[in-house]
Amino acid sequence: MPTLAGALRRRLLMPDLSEVTFDKRGFHERDPRARLLLEHSGRQFLAGFGHAMDGRDMDDTRRLLETVERPFRGFAYEGASMAFTLTDVMTPWRRTRVRAFLDGPGSPHVYMAYVGIGWAMARLPRPLRRGIAVPDPLLRWLAIDGYGFHQAYFATQRYVREKRAPGVRAPWADPSGYAERVADQGIGRALWFVCGADVERLATVIGEFAPARRSDLWSGAGLAAAYAGGIEADEAETLLKLATGFRGELAQGCAFAAEARLRADLVTPDTRTAAQVFCRTSVEAAAAVTQDALVDLPSDGPVPAYELWRQRIRAAFEDVGG
């Protein structure tokens, strides 16, 4: 049973389930199967949020999160991370939950956990963002990705149809403006949902953005197609063809998804299909590329380490698709 405090936090902070429906969001429906899959991903995100609020301690939270269906469990851990971030910031006298989560049950899902931190960042007033825990100097960029996803998912008119820049501000972001690029990767992930996993619509929408933004949008699209799924082999091949000029970015995003699912032992058939098409290799080999690219990766300098990481992965797949 949830504690009284947990039930109160859930009531005050947890978004309503209707917020992740296509009807509420106005997303494109390619077909009922894709819609149900993507809506269910959102529902399991919110389930994870609730489990974090209900858990008596980290062991109890882990137990609750592990009840979520395996293909969607990563989304639940992402939601839990958002919940812990919000509660940490709102109870500064006990600001330990996020770190305990990252070091404990969230460790196998660390990529999704950092993305969840970004969701919380988007919901918090700017002054309160200084209280967010982002201990890993490389993976904290994924919180910016999560911020971009959140903005495009919940404010689609502004950030997708009107193409406004995300305008991300975070205490740890460099002053060069690179955070905007990482947020665009998150927007690219959101486009997979906004477009209802319709590959032709996705390519059209990305093509409507300014040319300088398309690289990061394709990276995010590849990540979402491979992680969230909803794509058949023939559709993946079509998307690869439509990504002319950005196939390395598509593969890089797919490799990120492969590593995230493999690390958490949550690989799905859709992830295997995406890796085979976008990266022309197995999930295991695509994930290994992301780890090899970390070897001797320099610390943040004129080019952020996160961008160097992405560049190395793209270079490994530069010949994909001809």
Side-chain angles (χ1 to χ4, degrees):
M1 292 289 292
T3 65
L4 179 60
L8 181 60
R9 288 195 301 268
R10 173 197 273 261
R11 182 179 183 127
L12 291 174
L13 300 175
M14 183 172 170
D16 189 87
L17 281 172
S18 67
E19 292 295 320
V20 297
T21 64
F22 274 38
D23 286 341
K24 176 72 172 182
R25 301 265 58 87
F27 292 169
H28 170 71
E29 181 176 344
R30 184 195 76 191
D31 59 51
R33 175 186 172 273
R35 172 179 176 161
L36 288 173
L37 175 74
L38 298 177
E39 284 184 335
H40 197 58
S41 299
R43 284 193 292 271
Q44 298 316 300
F45 176 98
L46 294 179
F49 189 105
H51 291 331
M53 293 296 183
D54 294 342
R56 294 184 298 273
D57 52 35
M58 283 296 161
D59 286 339
D60 193 35
T61 297
R62 184 202 304 267
R63 178 187 62 78
L64 292 170
L65 290 170
E66 290 298 303
T67 65
V68 174
E69 307 153 84
R70 291 184 61 82
F72 302 96
R73 197 172 294 166
F75 295 106
Y77 275 85
E78 183 183 3
S81 182
M82 177 190 180
F84 285 133
T85 303
L86 289 174
T87 51
D88 267 6
V89 171
M90 293 180 175
T91 56
W93 57 88
R94 190 191 160 197
R95 194 173 285 172
T96 59
R97 298 175 187 87
V98 171
R99 289 179 183 271
F101 184 64
L102 293 172
D103 292 340
S107 179
H109 311 269
V110 65
Y111 304 109
M112 300 299 282
Y114 270 90
V115 170
I117 291 172
W119 277 61
M121 186 175 76
R123 294 279 171 128
L124 288 167
R126 193 175 300 172
L128 293 182
R129 294 175 191 170
R130 294 190 176 278
I132 296 175
V134 281
D136 190 303
L138 178 68
L139 297 185
R140 65 187 181 183
W141 287 104
L142 288 173
I144 303 294
D145 176 305
Y147 177 96
F149 181 98
H150 177 282
Q151 300 302 75
Y153 189 95
F154 289 103
T156 309
Q157 178 64 34
R158 176 184 294 264
Y159 295 106
V160 177
R161 300 187 184 99
E162 297 176 10
K163 314 291 188 297
R164 297 195 190 186
V168 61
R169 298 290 184 274
W172 66 89
D174 72 300
S176 71
Y178 179 67
E180 295 287 308
R181 290 194 54 198
V182 181
D184 271 347
Q185 180 177 267
I187 289 176
R189 286 196 304 113
L191 289 180
W192 185 248
F193 290 77
V194 172
C195 296
D198 184 324
V199 298
E200 294 187 357
R201 188 180 185 92
L202 173 70
T204 297
V205 171
I206 292 177
E208 293 170 350
F209 280 80
R213 300 181 66 182
R214 294 173 193 166
S215 171
D216 299 305
L217 295 171
W218 276 109
S219 171
L223 205 167
Y227 194 96
I231 194 168
E232 302 290 342
D234 60 336
E235 294 166 330
E237 291 286 359
T238 297
L239 185 58
L240 183 66
K241 292 175 183 176
L242 292 169
T244 300
F246 300 100
R247 290 170 183 167
E249 285 82 359
L250 192 70
Q252 175 261 304
C254 178
F256 268 7
E259 165 59 13
R261 282 207 173 270
L262 188 66
R263 177 185 172 112
D265 191 25
L266 298 175
V267 175
T268 66
D270 283 2
T271 306
R272 293 199 179 279
T273 295
Q276 194 60 54
V277 175
F278 300 153
C279 301
R280 294 294 193 239
T281 191
S282 66
V283 164
E284 291 76 11
V289 169
T290 72
Q291 297 308 292
D292 291 344
L294 290 172
V295 176
D296 296 325
L297 187 70
S299 302
D300 283 345
V303 179
Y306 183 78
E307 177 57 22
L308 291 175
W309 189 27
R310 294 204 301 166
Q311 288 176 5
R312 289 180 176 186
I313 297 167
R314 287 197 299 270
F317 297 112
E318 62 183 357
D319 296 326
V320 169

